[in-house]
């Protein structure tokens, strides 16, 4: 009986290394989890692509933009992150309107919002670069962009005489879409100057003249919408 004890002890001791070095099932399972598949644009024959720019950390807070492209054309810009500051809030519509007009990140700095402007332009340029890289990898996208350029049409709206002065817009169409809006005539008034970028941004988002009147610039807004509608009607004629 006493001789049997060492044998049992050795048998148990021999199992210890097996238990100690047994692979962890949890660790193995975790290491084999696949990364999520990258999202792909919805099909439907459209060359529209939504691209997010880099997040730029500024002294005022993070700035990040999301850009919608139709081929290589910028059709919309949305702020995903921006500093919570009145000057930034006032600057963003101007930055978006300038972007849609210039079709690039080469835009003027908004007075009083220099830091936000620089962050905006950096994030915007990153989105433009991403879109260009994606477009170069897709021959069909390049062909669509060429077709879009060939279908461009510029139409001037009627001149609307208001109490503040004449208002006239010029609309550039990319196919059936409103690609950009430019003021040919507008009242020389601070409220008009502040209102115009908002009116243009709203137009590009709504793709029509059915937009809200800008508070404090009712007369200019009404003249703008009338001239805009005339341009839309002339395009369809």
């Amino acid at each position: 009986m006493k001789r049997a004890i060492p044998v049992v002890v050795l048998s148990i001791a021999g199992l210890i290394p097996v238990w100690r070095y047994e692979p962890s099932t949890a660790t193995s399972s975790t290491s084999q989890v696949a990364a999520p598949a990258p999202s792909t644009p919805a099909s439907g024959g459209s060359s529209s692509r939504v691209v997010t720019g880099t997040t730029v950390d500024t002294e005022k807070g993070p700035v990040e933009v999301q850009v919608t492209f139709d081929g290589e054309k910028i059709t919309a810009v949305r702020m995903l992150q921006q500093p919570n500051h009145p000057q930034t809030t006032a600057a963003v519509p101007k930055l978006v309107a300038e972007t849609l007009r210039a079709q690039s990140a080469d835009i003027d700095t908004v007075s009083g919002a220099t830091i936000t402007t620089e962050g905006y332009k950096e994030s915007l340029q990153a989105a433009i670069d991403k879109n260009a890289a994606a477009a170069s990898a897709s021959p069909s996208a390049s062909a669509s962009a060429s077709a879009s350029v060939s279908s461009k049409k510029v139409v001037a709206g009627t001149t609307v005489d208001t109490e503040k002065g004449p208002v006239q817009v010029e609309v550039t169409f990319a196919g059936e879409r409103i690609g950009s809006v430019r003021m040919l005539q507008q009242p020389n008034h601070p409220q008009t100057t502040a209102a115009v970028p908002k009116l243009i941004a709203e137009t590009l988002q709504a793709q029509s003249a059915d937009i809200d009147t800008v508070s404090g610039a009712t007369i200019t807004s009404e003249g703008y919408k009338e001239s805009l509608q005339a341009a839309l009607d002339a395009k369809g004629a």
Side-chain angles (χ1 to χ4, degrees):
M1 183 65 180
K2 291 181 179 180
R3 291 179 181 177
I5 293 173
V7 175
V8 173
V9 171
L10 288 173
S11 298
I12 294 172
L15 292 174
I16 291 174
V18 177
W19 296 337
R20 182 178 298 168
Y21 294 104
E22 182 179 5
S24 168
T25 303
T27 303
S28 175
S29 175
T30 302
S31 64
Q32 296 178 20
V33 174
S39 59
T40 55
S43 60
S46 172
S47 60
S48 180
R49 180 187 290 115
V50 178
V51 182
T52 300
T54 54
T55 301
V56 181
D57 291 318
T58 73
E59 296 175 21
K60 301 293 185 180
V63 176
E64 184 181 23
V65 304
Q66 185 182 76
V67 186
T68 301
F69 296 90
D70 183 5
E72 294 182 357
K73 186 176 183 62
I74 300 172
T75 58
V77 180
R78 186 165 74 92
M79 298 298 291
L80 297 182
Q81 297 187 73
Q82 68 184 65
N84 184 17
H85 194 276
Q87 288 175 310
T88 294
T89 303
V92 165
K94 299 178 183 179
L95 292 170
V96 172
E98 280 296 303
T99 301
L100 294 166
R101 181 188 63 79
Q103 289 295 301
S104 73
D106 185 16
I107 58 177
D108 293 334
T109 297
V110 175
S111 178
T114 303
I115 293 173
T116 296
T117 300
E118 294 306 315
Y120 172 93
K121 291 197 287 186
E122 184 177 339
S123 185
L124 173 63
Q125 187 60 58
I128 292 172
D129 292 343
K130 287 182 184 179
N131 182 64
S136 64
S138 173
S140 61
S142 298
S144 176
S146 298
S148 177
V149 171
S150 64
S151 63
K152 182 182 290 186
K153 184 175 182 180
V154 180
V155 181
T158 54
T159 300
V160 180
D161 292 319
T162 74
E163 295 176 20
K164 301 292 185 181
V167 175
Q168 185 184 25
V169 305
E170 180 183 80
V171 183
T172 300
F173 295 91
E176 296 300 318
R177 290 184 60 82
I178 300 173
S180 63
V181 180
R182 186 167 70 95
M183 298 300 291
L184 297 181
Q185 298 184 73
Q186 69 183 65
N188 184 17
H189 193 277
Q191 288 175 311
T192 293
T193 303
V196 166
K198 298 178 183 178
L199 291 168
I200 293 175
E202 282 292 308
T203 301
L204 294 166
Q205 183 177 357
Q207 288 294 304
S208 73
D210 185 17
I211 58 176
D212 293 335
T213 297
V214 176
S215 177
T218 303
I219 293 173
T220 297
S221 295
E222 293 304 320
Y224 171 93
K225 290 194 286 183
E226 184 178 338
S227 184
L228 173 63
Q229 187 60 58
L232 295 174
D233 293 341
K235 165 64 171 60

